[in-house]
Amino acid sequence: MKSNKVRVRFAPSPTGPLHIGGVRTAIFNYLFAMQNDGDFILRIEDTDRNRFVPGAEEYIIESLKWLGIEPTEGVGIEGAYGPYHQSERKEIYKKYANELIQSGHAYYAFDTPEELEMMRERLKVEKSSIQQYNAVTRVNMNNSLTKSEEEVNEKLANGTPYVIRLKLPDDEDIKFSDIVLGDFSFHSSQLDDKILFKSDGMPTYHLANVVDDHLMKITHVIRGSEWTNSTPSHILLYKYFGWENEMPTFAHMPLLLKPDGKGKLSKRDGDRLGFPVFPLEWVNPETKEISSGYKESGYFPDAFLNFLVLLGWNPGTTQEVFTKDELIKIFSIDRIGKSGSKFDLEKAKWFNHLYLQEKKTEDLVQEFKPILNEKRVKTDDEFLLDVLNLVKERATFVSDLWSLTSYFFEAPISYEAKAVKKKWKEDSPDLMTEIVTILKSTDDFSAANLEEVIKKHIEDNELHMGKVLNGIRLAIVGSASGPSVFEIMSLLSAEESIKRIERAVQTIKKN
RNA sequence: GGUCCGUUCGUCUAGUCAGGUCAGGACGCCAGGUUUUCAUCCUGGUAACAGGGGUUCGAAUCCCCUACGGACUACCA
């Protein structure tokens, strides 16, 4: 057993459904953990009560489950480093915040929102290069650094709302190295005195994140690059807590961008873009608004995962199709690209098509059954297996299967106008009547035999192959497309095929 | 505005660190082939180094500038 076991975490906040960017972050964390025989921890960062959305946490867990990237520890599983909801760890954060105050690396601030607003306005008007609460501006504000000890103690005693801010150094370069982005350096004067502890008794992300990652022995922080700019503050926190030597390795991943151009993909994009941005369907508990999900749209989880993992990462070879186990073997953080990517729905569909072809037809039969039930179609598995084997290669989604096969279960009640015009000629009824005669006298209704008999008839009478076969297709399918008519008739039975052709002869109007 | 990051076919990308194949693959698209049709499938094609300066015998690759794009700049994460 390695002493420094790899431990990574996926730490979403339950503010709504997980979008595909978050899903990708989870995938990368999962792959990295599995590759190193490490732990993959799910931590719920629910420190913002105002943004809490009921059902979001369950949604996150369900999504990971659907994709087959379940955590090995954390919310829903538990483990030795719990609790894993940050809201249940308030006391821990409080303790560490106080520790920072004791050591002089943090201070109380009593500024009201209005005062903060005024400060920002003033700095803006002055066109100051500094527009945040930091070493320069804090001296003019209402905090424990500018007030006397008595005043501070009085405020604290009488319940004046306060926050705890990180006291940044005046002049210090904060350096860190990121697996994806490389070496970084920020000057402390460009940073702000981040709020660590809010007046409602909850920590902010910055404090909770650092404390938890340390306490939970996280070795690698793999997160979205929207966190890059606040990482220096996190580094400082590790340093001030004396955890510098056990600091995790950082890897900031490029963001998923809106395909229509501007900005990072957000939860609000929903179906506005013409495709799902969520793994599972989501019903907004307040508005009841429904956002579609990849699962419900018919994507297979493994196909979706395969597609998603290639957004911003590649193995350095031309291989694009991977099983999860292969991914676990070959994934590497340092092959994650630096720039954001938009995604291509067409390619996602292509992956799904590919994965559908790889599925056993027996399994597709089972997946298809619910759709048939909905359509009130009664049939047996053996027949379904034959039917699906015939049309499988034409499908991208299981849901395509119905439109591809409906004529096997219901005789056409109408004939596609365009197909009639193109394929049903003046002599078609006579041609079809002849076919009926042949069919009636054929005992062997296998596709092979039908093909032989009918082709012989065509040759003997010097008929046009397309004309005859297209006519049959129109009669039994109702449209001009589909697999081999011999196969279809064979599966449909002699009786049904004859019935359909006879009906077509009577029904289709010549024009 | 400030700070940080990025920019190769329409899209995802290889190649950049260690400069030297008319820049490779995939999706899409187009064409041809297979097929009774429509798909699938097969073959081929289309299409990119953001722009400008350097350095060099030689630059997608190294340096500088510009443009464009993105992130952050909340008592949100």
Side-chain angles (χ1 to χ4, degrees), chain A residues 229-275:
Chain A
N229 285 11
S230 50
T231 303
S233 301
H234 304 162
I235 304 278
L236 246 21
L237 244 16
Y238 281 101
K239 189 177 157 191
Y240 294 156
F241 281 127
W243 301 334
E244 224 175 351
N245 297 328
E246 301 137 66
M247 205 158 62
T249 303
F250 292 95
H252 288 96
M253 329 205 344
L255 270 10
L256 248 32
L257 275 15
K258 294 182 203 289
D260 61 347
K262 308 283 178 197
K264 68 171 173 177
L265 194 66
S266 78
K267 291 176 182 180
R268 286 184 303 277
D269 288 321
D271 286 306
R272 182 184 67 78
L273 302 165
F275 55 83

Side-chain angles (χ1 to χ4, degrees), chain A residues 21 65 81 123 125 128 163 202 279 293 339 352 356 361:
Chain A
K65 199 170 176 180
Y81 298 89
L123 293 169
V125 170
S128 167
V163 298
M202 281 291 201
S339 46
N352 215 66
L356 189 143
T361 311

Side-chain angles (χ1 to χ4, degrees), chain A residues 314-374:
Chain A
N314 75 81
T317 66
T318 56
Q319 186 181 359
E320 289 197 307
V321 181
F322 312 94
T323 63
K324 203 167 70 184
D325 287 340
E326 281 179 299
L327 285 172
I328 289 170
K329 278 204 189 80
I330 63 175
F331 178 73
S332 63
I333 297 179
D334 49 23
R335 287 205 63 88
I336 294 176
K338 292 184 186 180
S339 46
S341 36
K342 308 172 191 166
F343 71 78
D344 184 1
L345 191 67
E346 290 306 320
K347 189 139 189 183
K349 284 183 190 167
W350 176 78
F351 269 110
N352 215 66
H353 178 259
L354 208 66
Y355 274 77
L356 189 143
Q357 303 317 312
E358 297 296 314
K359 300 259 178 210
K360 284 205 201 94
T361 311
E362 285 81 353
D363 295 339
L364 290 176
V365 165
Q366 297 312 316
E367 293 203 43
F368 187 33
K369 276 182 171 174
I371 297 175
L372 290 172
N373 282 336
E374 232 171 80

Side-chain angles (χ1 to χ4, degrees), chain A residues 236-472:
Chain A
L236 246 21
L237 244 16
Y238 281 101
K239 189 177 157 191
Y240 294 156
F241 281 127
W243 301 334
E244 224 175 351
N245 297 328
E246 301 137 66
M247 205 158 62
T249 303
F250 292 95
H252 288 96
M253 329 205 344
L255 270 10
L256 248 32
L257 275 15
K258 294 182 203 289
D260 61 347
K262 308 283 178 197
K264 68 171 173 177
L265 194 66
S266 78
K267 291 176 182 180
R268 286 184 303 277
D269 288 321
D271 286 306
R272 182 184 67 78
L273 302 165
F275 55 83
V277 298
F278 303 121
L280 312 179
E281 186 176 278
W282 167 258
V283 182
N284 184 314
E286 255 179 51
T287 64
K288 303 297 171 204
E289 188 190 346
I290 297 171
S291 301
S292 67
Y294 280 89
K295 181 187 176 194
E296 290 76 10
S297 301
Y299 287 84
F300 297 115
D302 44 4
F304 183 58
L305 186 139
N306 194 153
F307 164 70
L308 221 44
V309 80
L310 253 12
L311 249 32
W313 174 85
N314 75 81
T317 66
T318 56
Q319 186 181 359
E320 289 197 307
V321 181
F322 312 94
T323 63
K324 203 167 70 184
D325 287 340
E326 281 179 299
L327 285 172
I328 289 170
K329 278 204 189 80
I330 63 175
F331 178 73
S332 63
I333 297 179
D334 49 23
R335 287 205 63 88
I336 294 176
K338 292 184 186 180
S339 46
S341 36
K342 308 172 191 166
F343 71 78
D344 184 1
L345 191 67
E346 290 306 320
K347 189 139 189 183
K349 284 183 190 167
W350 176 78
F351 269 110
N352 215 66
H353 178 259
L354 208 66
Y355 274 77
L356 189 143
Q357 303 317 312
E358 297 296 314
K359 300 259 178 210
K360 284 205 201 94
T361 311
E362 285 81 353
D363 295 339
L364 290 176
V365 165
Q366 297 312 316
E367 293 203 43
F368 187 33
K369 276 182 171 174
I371 297 175
L372 290 172
N373 282 336
E374 232 171 80
K375 303 286 183 187
R376 305 201 184 288
V377 169
K378 287 201 168 45
T379 183
D380 60 276
D381 285 14
E382 206 184 327
F383 180 63
L384 274 179
L385 191 66
D386 289 337
V387 167
L388 293 196
N389 269 326
L390 201 56
V391 303
K392 183 181 173 181
E393 63 185 23
R394 318 165 83 91
T396 295
F397 300 110
V398 170
S399 58
D400 292 342
L401 259 19
W402 172 251
S403 62
L404 250 21
T405 63
S406 62
Y407 56 86
F408 279 106
F409 313 109
E410 300 168 342
I413 46 170
S414 65
Y415 304 90
E416 201 183 287
K418 228 172 119 186
V420 169
K421 198 170 177 192
K422 214 172 157 192
K423 311 288 188 187
W424 198 259
K425 302 299 179 189
E426 212 159 304
D427 53 350
S428 291
D430 295 339
L431 254 23
M432 291 306 107
T433 305
E434 284 167 26
I435 294 294
V436 167
T437 309
I438 295 168
L439 258 26
K440 279 181 173 165
S441 62
T442 305
D443 294 328
D444 180 357
F445 224 68
S446 69
N449 186 56
L450 286 177
E451 179 163 3
E452 197 185 318
V453 175
I454 292 175
K455 281 192 171 169
K456 185 168 186 303
H457 167 75
I458 291 170
E459 277 168 31
D460 291 350
N461 297 284
E462 293 181 351
L463 299 173
H464 187 264
M465 180 97 87
K467 216 173 194 178
V468 176
L469 298 179
N470 286 329
I472 299 175

Side-chain angles (χ1 to χ4, degrees), chain A residues 36 46 111 121 191 228 337 363 376 386 396 465 502 510:
Chain A
N36 293 288
D46 52 353
D111 314 275
E121 275 303 311
L191 274 24
T228 310
D363 295 339
R376 305 201 184 288
D386 289 337
T396 295
M465 180 97 87
E502 284 176 336
K510 282 166 277 188

Side-chain angles (χ1 to χ4, degrees), chain A residues 131-150:
Chain A
Q131 297 197 357
Q132 65 260 81
Y133 208 118
N134 68 5
V136 176
T137 53
R138 71 167 85 100
V139 296
N140 298 317
M141 302 302 287
N142 187 5
N143 54 52
S144 59
L145 263 21
T146 58
K147 304 290 172 199
S148 70
E149 202 177 325
E150 290 77 41

